[in-house]
Amino acid sequence: MPVHVLGDVQSLSSLKWTLKNANGSIVVPAKVPSQAHLDLLEAGIITEPLLGINDFTQRWVVNDNWTYTADLTTLTKKLGRNTRALLVFFGIDTIANITVAGHPVAWVSNQFQQYVYDVTDFVAAPVKHDTNVTVALESAYFYGLNVTARPDAEISPTPDFEYAGIRQWIRKTQSDFGWDWGPAFVPSGIFKPAYLVTLTPHEVTSPLADTNETSSTQPQPSSAPASHPLLASGGTILIEESSLEISKIGQTSINTPNQAADWLVNVTLAVRSVQGADFPTITVDIPELRFSSGPLAVDPIPVRTNASTFLSAAFTIPDAKPTRWYPHNLATGPKLYDFTITLAFANGSDPAKPTDPHRTGPAPPPAPPPVSFTTRSGFRTIELVQTAYPAEELAARGITPGDQWHFEVNGQAFYTMGTNIIPFDPFYARMTSEQVRWVLESAVKSGQNMLRVWGGGIYQPSDELTGGYDFYAACDELGILAWSELIFSDALYPIDSWLLASVAPEVAQNVRRINRHPSNAQWAGGNEIEGIVITVNQSLANGTHYLDEFQTLFGEFLHDIVLSEESSVAYTDCSTTSGVLSLDPYEIRYNNKTPGYIYGNGERYNYDASQAFNYSTYPLSRFMNEFGFHSLPSFYSWEEVLTSPEDFSFNSTVVASRDHHPPAGSLAWPNPNAPQGQGQMTTAVELWLPTPNTTDTNQTFAQWCWSTQVFQSLNMVSEIAFYRRGAGRAENNLGALVWQLNDIWQGASWSAIEYSGRWKVLQYGMANIYQPVVVYPFWTADSQTLEVTITSDRWEAVSGSVQMTWYDWSGEQINFSREPFTVPSLNNTVILAVTGLDNILPFGFDVTDVWMYVNITAEVDNRTVTHEQYFTPASLATANLVDPEIELTRGSNLTFTLSAQGGVAPFTWLDHPAGTIGYFADAATGVPLNGFFLVPGIDRTVQFIPNTALSKVHPDPAEFAVRSLWNNTHL
């Protein structure tokens, strides 16, 4: 991030900041953007917060108040008499008093708002020669305790995580107070970029006091537009917000867009100006399309710096002119265009009308030069279809009655495949675009086309300049949809005027900002709260009170704000929902259901591992937006945080203390409920895999960690396959989002990618099962039924061939069969349906002695694709495995050939060295590949594709290691 962005737009990161605690016993250098823990770490006051048990020992940081101070003189000493100075904060975490030059400026209490203050008069008249900007942060924990101690405070009847019962009152990242997958550091700081913007009327030639020289800070006319609206600011005007929304003419958030209609482009700028304009105009140019809107008249711009003026303009573009934006795995993929937006000033007369030659009086002041910036967006429609199925469709397709719940992009239904994301780090300020992009690229490489931005975290940013790192723009570019949520999660929120007044600008600002991103798919009011309030309503005597509050906040207040700011994506009250009775007026369905019908979407969390592959426990849902099972990170991740040799054990105090499932519900440490979560993983491994137990304690621990990941992947792949198959069945399932993609620290969690960026087994499992055409053996043990099904998410029929091969565990091929297949669009085809082990197993073999390899070859999108899966009729815990004697041959360009010289190696796994980030891919196809069955005589060659920007060391081929399930019990 540049320190001096532009002469008139100066970053506060250029100042010399200090951080001190409440009693002044700690005073250290600081940075902006940052958070108190990070500055204390840099100063050597604390060690890395994620190390060891620091989430417990560093609680003292949460209990203190922290003040950031810097001398503003270097940015303000040359301000002229006519220049205004505006202080711009894009994020303060969270409860803070802001003072400038000794004057109180504001008390703020919302982490998700941006703030702008005209501080000119304060700078001009400092109190006792005070030239500082000061942000005094109050402990969010103690603030919460104080608020909830009030006699009028309504206490939520729902359980909580670590810092319990206070987060509902604080507009702050909810998981900062603890969650079942992460720590509770409750950070504070100026966590996003901040700037001082100086504005000077155009007729004043220089903002410098008492000098005639031309200021370098005065913007000069240029033909090149700025790369960001903030960088177009300065001179006479600050563009503090911009919104660009593309929809179809006549489209709203609740109707089906007419795909043949022309495109409607809406542009809104929020400005503060030191020079008025009677007849300003906005012009939008799209150079690649050779299209210009021409000057579009907008409302007059007043001279005002203490509040925003909103300027809006709209124009149309013929439907066929632009290429449409799609997710990366559909049609032409993501197509983006540059939009150059120019705000021109005009005074005295309407520039669209001839000048009056008889006009008398003083001439109007000269108009400032226009300001111009370029932003990127794309043309697409995205609709969340929530209405009832037409009767004729129910009859024709055999669909279970009820409501639809799926997404359509550019008028076509598609299968949504993806995951949920949580905050990338407990300390937002240290995240980088490179780290976030790696997670997003990993999602794309594994076939995902949607990420759900979980509502207990933070509104993800659009760019580095205002947000610290880039998220939504990267989603636009990579072609991955983002399901966005307002920040409310797993609690009942008390309604009062203070909350509503704080939330209204928070929501409006973030919706406006995200409008320009074609990746944005919908807005949900929050996470999992609808189900909570329905339960409370049924179980508590005063339950209707909480239901009424929920309806007010999520069914009315938030709904109305979102729809007032956008018209191109849907609003839903909650992530997991029963859907709606009506969209106009908006009426949530709640429990108004007809038995046997299917409504809304669903989730599944079943920690009884014996039921992991019991399909009768899988919901028959239109869309699954959450389902998961937890696992441990790899040995490599534990090496980053464990400090003693005795810690490297599955149930060591430190390892178990980082399992927050189920949560403590208090500040009790170590988590007294951790044995439940640890036990669930233990049982899962013991039921379905060989129990890790070797003479090497480190290997045993490493195999335990890895085996929890193997089970997690087996479980999730089974569910994904089931839900994907549902696209062609009565439930008409069109979405599966696994919980969760990324990790916030090194501990037990549901993630597919570890905190460092290392892929877990599940990430490779999803890369397999999220391919466009997949084969899967559905095994129902109770009825001894095997159904091999091929599922396709393509918009056209797919043909190919399937081969089913039986092997014993020594690798001997027993028999095989090959069949042609054709799968209709968004549907499945059953290739094999057999009941009874006698009819399934090769003659004369026991269930523990054999397994089946299933693979397909098909033509998809004018290319040949393959896919493979495995069927083991008995648990791998009881399979008669044979020593695979894996031979690893290292080739050039980080390629590795694996050969089984003995028996079959189920879940053959390559580890890349500590400090490296990347993934393994099939050397021939480029498809991510790891954790596969290695068969004697069928070698596999994979290549490690490193992320050189994130890797701390160059990968040494000699340090790559291989393991399989055989190593659970053998060195």
Side-chain angles (χ1 to χ4, degrees):
M1 183 187 308
V3 174
H4 293 282
V5 180
L6 192 70
D8 287 355
V9 181
Q10 301 177 88
S11 173
L12 297 193
S13 64
S14 66
L15 302 178
K16 293 184 178 179
W17 289 88
T18 59
L19 173 72
K20 70 175 182 178
N21 66 341
N23 66 11
S25 60
I26 298 174
V27 181
V28 297
K31 296 178 181 178
V32 168
S34 188
Q35 285 157 304
H37 285 80
L38 302 181
D39 291 315
L40 294 172
L41 171 63
E42 183 73 15
I45 303 296
I46 62 174
T47 56
E48 163 58 48
L50 299 186
L51 192 67
I53 61 172
N54 280 349
D55 61 311
F56 171 67
T57 61
Q58 292 180 3
R59 284 178 177 172
W60 65 268
V61 180
V62 180
N63 297 340
D64 213 334
N65 297 333
W66 298 96
T67 298
Y68 282 84
T69 303
D71 189 345
L72 268 176
T73 303
T74 58
L75 304 185
T76 61
K77 62 184 177 181
K78 294 183 178 180
L79 291 180
R81 287 174 300 172
N82 295 293
T83 299
R84 307 300 296 180
L86 276 61
L87 200 56
V88 181
F89 291 101
F90 284 99
I92 294 177
D93 182 12
T94 293
I95 315 298
N97 276 295
I98 303 169
T99 60
V100 170
H103 296 277
V105 174
W107 178 80
V108 298
S109 58
N110 191 313
Q111 182 184 7
F112 312 122
Q113 285 188 35
Q114 66 182 60
Y115 301 105
V116 180
Y117 305 106
D118 186 336
V119 297
T120 312
D121 297 339
F122 303 145
V123 171
V127 176
K128 297 180 180 180
H129 307 290
D130 186 341
T131 57
N132 292 330
V133 54
T134 299
V135 179
L137 296 145
E138 180 180 352
S139 164
Y141 173 42
F142 286 140
Y143 170 83
L145 292 177
N146 290 336
V147 170
T148 54
R150 289 171 53 102
D152 59 346
E154 177 184 302
I155 306 303
S156 175
T158 55
D160 218 329
F161 299 89
E162 288 184 50
Y163 289 87
I166 61 174
R167 61 185 175 86
Q168 299 93 319
W169 297 91
I170 307 174
R171 296 309 300 149
K172 175 174 173 58
T173 297
Q174 299 290 271
S175 59
D176 281 353
F177 300 94
W179 220 262
D180 53 3
W181 35 252
F185 285 105
V186 199
S188 62
I190 307 171
F191 78 111
K192 283 187 178 182
Y195 300 89
L196 186 76
V197 180
T198 55
L199 306 178
T200 306
H202 181 58
E203 63 267 29
V204 179
T205 59
S206 171
L208 300 177
D210 302 319
T211 178
N212 292 321
E213 66 180 278
T214 301
S215 169
S216 62
T217 64
Q218 189 77 356
Q220 304 300 313
S222 171
S223 59
S227 60
H228 191 281
L230 178 65
L231 299 182
S233 301
T236 63
I237 197 163
L238 165 66
I239 303 176
E240 64 175 292
E241 289 187 67
S242 65
S243 175
L244 171 67
E245 185 181 27
I246 301 173
S247 59
K248 287 288 189 173
I249 292 178
Q251 181 181 351
T252 70
S253 297
I254 63 173
N255 69 358
T256 298
N258 177 1
Q259 297 299 321
D262 287 344
W263 296 100
L264 177 65
V265 181
N266 280 284
V267 176
T268 297
L269 304 179
V271 303
R272 301 183 189 221
S273 181
V274 294
Q275 188 161 339
D278 298 329
F279 301 102
T281 62
I282 288 177
T283 301
V284 181
D285 295 295
I286 311 174
E288 187 175 345
L289 295 179
R290 298 181 179 178
F291 179 90
S292 177
S293 68
L296 304 169
V298 296
D299 291 338
I301 301 174
V303 176
R304 184 166 64 182
T305 56
N306 60 357
S308 306
T309 298
F310 286 87
L311 310 173
S312 296
F315 61 95
T316 61
I317 296 178
D319 168 62
K321 195 170 185 68
T323 298
R324 298 191 181 205
W325 185 97
Y326 284 89
H328 69 92
N329 66 333
L330 295 174
T332 53
K335 173 60 180 176
L336 297 173
Y337 292 94
D338 287 337
F339 290 71
T340 298
I341 300 172
T342 301
L343 174 62
F345 303 80
N347 288 320
S349 63
D350 188 340
K353 298 178 180 179
T355 302
D356 182 359
H358 304 293
R359 175 176 179 157
T360 60
V371 294
S372 182
F373 65 92
T374 295
T375 190
R376 287 173 69 76
S377 190
F379 295 82
R380 64 90 179 94
T381 66
I382 184 78
E383 181 187 8
L384 174 56
V385 183
Q386 304 178 74
T387 55
Y389 281 94
E392 58 272 17
E393 187 172 3
L394 294 177
R397 299 177 56 192
I399 296 174
T400 301
D403 291 345
Q404 304 174 82
W405 212 99
H406 66 266
F407 292 92
E408 294 186 1
V409 63
N410 296 318
Q412 292 182 274
F414 67 99
Y415 200 93
T416 302
M417 301 181 289
T419 51
N420 294 257
I421 65 164
I422 62 171
F424 296 97
D425 195 283
F427 306 102
Y428 178 104
R430 70 176 174 186
M431 283 307 300
T432 67
S433 292
E434 291 77 17
Q435 291 170 298
V436 173
R437 189 178 181 91
W438 170 247
V439 174
L440 300 182
E441 288 178 341
S442 297
V444 171
K445 293 179 191 303
S446 61
Q448 301 178 48
N449 58 23
M450 180 180 281
L451 298 176
R452 175 178 160 236
V453 184
W454 174 68
I458 196 157
Y459 299 95
Q460 290 296 334
S462 295
D463 55 70
E464 294 182 6
L465 202 65
T466 62
Y469 64 85
D470 174 21
F471 177 83
Y472 277 100
C475 289
D476 295 342
E477 177 190 340
L478 295 170
I480 189 160
L481 290 161
W483 161 333
S484 302
E485 292 187 4
L486 309 180
I487 308 304
F488 299 89
S489 183
D490 287 298
L492 301 181
Y493 289 79
I495 304 300
D496 59 27
S497 58
W498 176 88
L499 175 71
L500 300 183
S502 179
V503 166
E506 161 200 326
V507 173
Q509 287 176 359
N510 283 286
V511 172
R512 286 193 292 262
R513 172 177 61 84
I514 293 172
N515 273 342
R516 76 171 175 91
H517 296 290
S519 57
N520 187 39
Q522 76 141 333
W523 282 102
N527 171 67
E528 294 184 320
I529 307 174
E530 182 186 306
I532 293 173
V533 78
I534 289 173
T535 300
V536 167
N537 182 49
Q538 294 171 336
S539 57
L540 297 184
N542 64 338
T544 55
H545 166 76
Y546 298 101
L547 182 62
D548 289 344
E549 285 195 318
F550 177 90
Q551 173 62 31
T552 298
L553 182 59
F554 297 97
E556 299 164 19
F557 185 77
L558 297 175
H559 167 273
D560 293 351
I561 294 175
V562 171
L563 268 59
S564 71
E565 299 294 345
E566 61 88 10
S567 60
S568 59
V569 299
Y571 170 89
T572 55
D573 69 295
C574 190
S575 58
T576 306
T577 177
S578 296
V580 296
L581 290 169
S582 167
L583 288 170
D584 188 16
Y586 185 69
E587 295 183 32
I588 304 168
R589 180 173 292 280
Y590 294 115
N591 248 3
N592 297 298
K593 303 175 184 178
T594 300
Y597 283 40
I598 298 177
Y599 301 102
N601 56 22
E603 59 181 62
R604 179 186 187 269
Y605 293 101
N606 189 329
Y607 299 109
D608 179 355
S610 69
Q611 302 301 303
F613 310 104
N614 181 351
Y615 306 125
S616 69
T617 68
Y618 295 1
L620 296 176
S621 176
R622 308 292 192 206
F623 193 108
M624 290 293 290
N625 62 285
E626 282 192 43
F627 54 100
F629 200 98
H630 50 308
S631 68
L632 291 183
S634 67
F635 190 89
Y636 296 93
S637 282
W638 287 116
E639 286 184 307
E640 298 167 4
V641 295
L642 299 183
T643 58
S644 300
E646 59 267 24
D647 293 338
F648 288 82
S649 174
F650 187 84
N651 285 312
S652 72
T653 298
V654 181
V655 169
S657 77
R658 296 167 84 98
D659 187 340
H660 292 188
H661 166 70
S666 70
L667 292 176
W669 189 95
N671 176 17
N673 297 322
Q676 293 182 51
Q678 295 291 99
Q680 290 161 358
M681 290 186 287
T682 301
T683 300
V685 171
E686 291 174 343
L687 278 174
W688 299 105
L689 303 170
T691 300
N693 184 24
T694 72
T695 57
D696 185 317
T697 56
N698 273 353
Q699 175 176 319
T700 298
F701 178 53
Q703 292 297 126
W704 264 111
C705 296
W706 177 71
S707 293
T708 66
Q709 296 185 18
V710 172
F711 170 79
Q712 177 193 36
S713 181
L714 281 168
N715 188 185
M716 293 304 98
V717 167
S718 172
E719 288 198 50
I720 293 169
F722 179 87
Y723 303 136
R724 287 191 65 180
R725 180 180 68 165
R729 296 165 74 96
E731 61 265 33
N732 193 212
N733 180 297
L734 288 176
L737 304 180
V738 172
W739 185 272
Q740 66 203 59
L741 179 58
N742 61 307
D743 229 334
I744 197 170
W745 74 333
Q746 305 90 335
S749 82
W750 290 250
S751 75
I753 300 175
E754 298 178 12
Y755 173 75
S756 68
R758 182 180 292 267
W759 286 19
K760 285 184 176 179
V761 180
L762 172 57
Q763 181 66 9
Y764 288 100
M766 290 190 295
N768 172 286
I769 203 63
Y770 276 155
Q771 290 185 42
V773 183
V774 297
V775 60
Y776 194 81
F778 291 93
W779 168 242
T780 305
D782 290 346
S783 62
Q784 294 189 354
T785 299
L786 175 65
E787 182 182 285
V788 179
T789 303
I790 299 172
T791 301
S792 171
D793 69 1
R794 298 295 84 189
W795 282 336
E796 64 284 331
V798 172
S799 296
S801 64
V802 57
Q803 180 169 306
M804 293 169 282
T805 308
W806 282 96
Y807 291 93
D808 65 18
W809 288 111
S810 68
E812 290 293 323
Q813 180 177 312
I814 301 169
N815 62 47
F816 80 95
S817 61
R818 181 182 289 114
E819 300 286 344
F821 69 83
T822 297
V823 185
S825 169
L826 269 178
N827 214 312
N828 64 77
T829 296
V830 177
I831 294 300
L832 176 70
V834 187
T835 299
L837 279 173
D838 291 343
N839 301 315
I840 295 171
L841 299 179
F843 180 74
F845 287 88
D846 185 77
V847 291
T848 59
D849 295 328
V850 293
W851 63 282
M852 184 170 67
Y853 173 64
V854 189
N855 64 307
I856 61 172
T857 301
E859 295 299 315
V860 177
D861 301 330
N862 298 315
R863 60 189 177 93
T864 300
V865 299
T866 61
H867 183 257
E868 64 185 40
Q869 271 293 327
Y870 322 103
F871 167 57
T872 56
S875 164
L876 288 167
T878 61
N880 292 320
L881 302 182
V882 176
D883 185 352
E885 301 176 38
I886 299 175
E887 182 178 284
L888 177 63
T889 304
R890 297 165 173 85
S892 60
N893 298 319
L894 296 175
T895 58
F896 303 87
T897 298
L898 298 100
S899 176
Q901 303 298 310
V904 175
F907 285 94
T908 298
W909 180 261
L910 267 172
D911 277 313
H912 52 88
T916 61
I917 301 298
Y919 70 100
F920 293 96
D922 186 289
T925 66
V927 175
L929 180 65
N930 207 353
F932 48 83
F933 279 40
L934 184 64
V935 181
I938 306 177
D939 295 351
R940 294 291 186 102
T941 299
V942 298
Q943 182 178 19
F944 181 66
I945 313 297
N947 183 315
T948 55
L950 297 182
S951 294
K952 298 176 182 178
V953 298
H954 183 76
D956 181 354
E959 295 183 359
F960 286 72
V962 63
R963 73 177 80 231
S964 75
L965 289 181
W966 181 258
N967 300 109
N968 278 13
T969 53
H970 300 79
L971 296 177

Coordinates of all heavy atoms in Angstrom, one line a residue, residues 450-474:
M450 N -18.8 -21.2 -5.9 CA -19.4 -20.2 -5.0 C -18.7 -20.4 -3.6 O -18.4 -21.5 -3.1 CB -20.9 -20.4 -4.8 CG -21.6 -19.5 -3.8 SD -23.4 -19.7 -3.6 CE -23.9 -18.8 -5.1
L451 N -18.5 -19.2 -3.0 CA -18.1 -19.1 -1.6 C -19.1 -18.4 -0.8 O -19.6 -17.3 -1.2 CB -16.7 -18.4 -1.4 CG -15.6 -19.1 -2.1 CD1 -14.3 -18.2 -2.0 CD2 -15.3 -20.5 -1.6
R452 N -19.5 -18.9 0.4 CA -20.4 -18.2 1.2 C -19.6 -17.4 2.3 O -18.8 -18.0 3.0 CB -21.4 -19.2 1.9 CG -22.3 -18.5 3.0 CD -23.2 -19.5 3.6 NE -23.7 -18.9 4.9 CZ -23.6 -19.4 6.1 NH1 -23.1 -20.6 6.2 NH2 -24.0 -18.8 7.1
V453 N -19.8 -16.1 2.3 CA -19.1 -15.2 3.2 C -19.9 -15.2 4.5 O -20.8 -14.5 4.6 CB -18.9 -13.8 2.6 CG1 -18.1 -13.0 3.6 CG2 -18.2 -13.9 1.3
W454 N -19.4 -16.0 5.4 CA -20.2 -16.3 6.7 C -20.5 -15.1 7.5 O -19.7 -14.2 7.6 CB -19.3 -17.3 7.5 CG -19.9 -17.6 8.8 CD1 -21.0 -18.3 9.2 CD2 -19.2 -17.2 10.1 NE1 -21.1 -18.4 10.5 CE2 -20.1 -17.8 11.1 CE3 -18.1 -16.5 10.4 CZ2 -19.8 -17.6 12.5 CZ3 -17.8 -16.4 11.8 CH2 -18.6 -16.9 12.8
G455 N -21.7 -15.0 8.0 CA -22.2 -13.8 8.7 C -21.7 -13.6 10.1 O -22.2 -12.6 10.7
G456 N -20.8 -14.4 10.6 CA -20.3 -14.1 11.9 C -18.9 -13.5 11.8 O -18.3 -13.2 12.9
G457 N -18.4 -13.2 10.6 CA -17.1 -12.7 10.4 C -17.1 -11.2 10.1 O -17.4 -10.4 11.0
I458 N -16.7 -10.9 8.9 CA -16.6 -9.5 8.5 C -17.0 -9.3 7.1 O -17.0 -10.3 6.3 CB -15.1 -9.0 8.7 CG1 -15.0 -7.5 8.6 CG2 -14.2 -9.6 7.6 CD1 -13.8 -6.9 9.3
Y459 N -17.5 -8.1 6.7 CA -17.7 -7.8 5.3 C -16.4 -7.8 4.6 O -15.5 -7.0 4.9 CB -18.4 -6.4 5.2 CG -19.7 -6.3 5.9 CD1 -19.8 -5.7 7.2 CD2 -20.9 -6.6 5.3 CE1 -21.0 -5.6 7.8 CE2 -22.1 -6.5 5.9 CZ -22.2 -5.9 7.2 OH -23.4 -5.8 7.8
Q460 N -16.2 -8.7 3.6 CA -15.0 -8.8 3.0 C -14.7 -7.6 2.1 O -15.7 -7.0 1.5 CB -14.9 -10.1 2.1 CG -14.8 -11.3 2.9 CD -13.5 -11.5 3.7 OE1 -12.5 -10.9 3.4 NE2 -13.6 -12.2 4.9
P461 N -13.5 -7.1 2.0 CA -13.2 -5.9 1.3 C -13.1 -6.0 -0.3 O -13.1 -7.1 -0.8 CB -11.8 -5.5 1.8 CG -11.2 -6.9 2.1 CD -12.3 -7.7 2.6
S462 N -13.1 -4.9 -0.9 CA -13.1 -4.9 -2.4 C -11.7 -4.6 -2.9 O -11.4 -5.0 -4.1 CB -14.0 -3.8 -2.9 OG -15.3 -4.1 -2.6
D463 N -10.8 -3.9 -2.1 CA -9.5 -3.6 -2.7 C -8.6 -3.3 -1.5 O -9.0 -3.1 -0.3 CB -9.6 -2.3 -3.6 CG -10.3 -1.2 -2.9 OD1 -9.7 -0.6 -2.0 OD2 -11.4 -0.9 -3.3
E464 N -7.3 -3.2 -1.8 CA -6.3 -2.9 -0.8 C -6.3 -1.5 -0.3 O -6.1 -1.2 0.9 CB -4.9 -3.2 -1.3 CG -4.6 -4.6 -1.7 CD -3.2 -4.8 -2.2 OE1 -2.4 -3.8 -2.1 OE2 -2.8 -5.9 -2.6
L465 N -6.6 -0.5 -1.1 CA -6.5 0.9 -0.8 C -7.4 1.3 0.3 O -7.1 2.1 1.2 CB -6.8 1.7 -2.0 CG -6.3 3.1 -2.1 CD1 -4.8 3.1 -2.1 CD2 -6.8 3.9 -3.3
T466 N -8.6 0.7 0.4 CA -9.6 1.0 1.4 C -9.8 -0.2 2.4 O -10.3 0.0 3.5 CB -10.9 1.4 0.8 OG1 -11.5 0.3 0.1 CG2 -10.8 2.6 -0.1
G467 N -9.5 -1.4 2.0 CA -9.8 -2.6 2.8 C -8.6 -3.3 3.3 O -8.8 -4.3 4.1
G468 N -7.4 -2.9 2.9 CA -6.2 -3.6 3.3 C -5.8 -4.8 2.5 O -4.6 -5.0 2.3
Y469 N -6.8 -5.5 2.0 CA -6.5 -6.6 1.0 C -7.7 -6.7 0.1 O -8.8 -6.1 0.3 CB -6.2 -7.9 1.7 CG -7.4 -8.5 2.5 CD1 -8.4 -9.3 1.9 CD2 -7.4 -8.3 3.9 CE1 -9.4 -9.9 2.7 CE2 -8.5 -8.9 4.6 CZ -9.5 -9.6 4.0 OH -10.5 -10.2 4.8
D470 N -7.6 -7.5 -1.0 CA -8.6 -7.6 -2.0 C -9.3 -8.9 -1.9 O -8.7 -10.0 -1.8 CB -7.9 -7.5 -3.4 CG -8.8 -7.8 -4.5 OD1 -10.1 -7.6 -4.3 OD2 -8.4 -8.1 -5.6
F471 N -10.6 -8.9 -1.9 CA -11.4 -10.1 -1.9 C -12.4 -10.1 -3.1 O -12.3 -10.9 -4.0 CB -12.2 -10.3 -0.6 CG -13.1 -11.5 -0.6 CD1 -12.6 -12.7 -0.3 CD2 -14.4 -11.4 -0.9 CE1 -13.4 -13.9 -0.2 CE2 -15.2 -12.5 -0.9 CZ -14.7 -13.7 -0.6
Y472 N -13.3 -9.2 -3.1 CA -14.4 -9.3 -4.1 C -13.9 -9.1 -5.5 O -14.3 -9.8 -6.5 CB -15.5 -8.3 -3.8 CG -16.5 -8.7 -2.8 CD1 -16.4 -8.3 -1.5 CD2 -17.5 -9.6 -3.2 CE1 -17.3 -8.8 -0.5 CE2 -18.4 -10.0 -2.2 CZ -18.3 -9.6 -0.9 OH -19.3 -10.1 0.0
A473 N -12.9 -8.2 -5.7 CA -12.4 -8.0 -7.1 C -11.7 -9.2 -7.6 O -11.7 -9.6 -8.7 CB -11.4 -6.8 -7.1
A474 N -11.0 -10.0 -6.6 CA -10.4 -11.2 -7.0 C -11.4 -12.3 -7.4 O -11.3 -13.0 -8.3 CB -9.5 -11.7 -5.9

